[in-house]
Amino acid sequence: MATNPKPDPNQKLVRVFDTEQEPEAMVVSGLLESQGIDCEVTALDAPQDVMPIGGTVILGREEDAEKSR
């Protein structure tokens, strides 16, 4: 279990990882949590008429970004 609370939604969060594969994002999220780095896993959905892609992005605290990467 991570020692830090989940990132505060009012706190500046930065992208630390992104992928088009949700299972890959879950593995990375688990690895971060196992190191005491809390993160948010969010769907990255672009409107189909703009760009036909989707994916998953992992956001974390700015101060944890370097360690996360």
Side-chain angles (χ1 to χ4, degrees):
M1 175 167 266
T3 57
N4 298 329
K6 287 286 182 197
D8 181 334
N10 298 319
Q11 199 172 21
K12 182 174 182 184
L13 300 178
V14 295
R15 182 183 298 205
V16 295
F17 184 80
D18 60 68
T19 181
E20 291 185 23
Q21 305 296 320
E22 187 176 354
E24 184 178 23
M26 295 296 106
V27 170
V28 172
S29 172
L31 290 170
L32 291 172
E33 295 279 343
S34 75
Q35 293 299 306
I37 301 171
D38 287 309
C39 58
E40 294 284 329
V41 179
T42 305
L44 180 64
D45 294 318
Q48 293 299 316
D49 59 337
V50 174
M51 190 178 290
I53 62 166
T56 306
V57 64
I58 298 178
L59 303 173
R61 291 183 188 88
E62 192 170 29
E63 63 266 18
D64 292 335
E66 189 62 36
K67 184 177 177 184
S68 297
R69 292 183 181 116

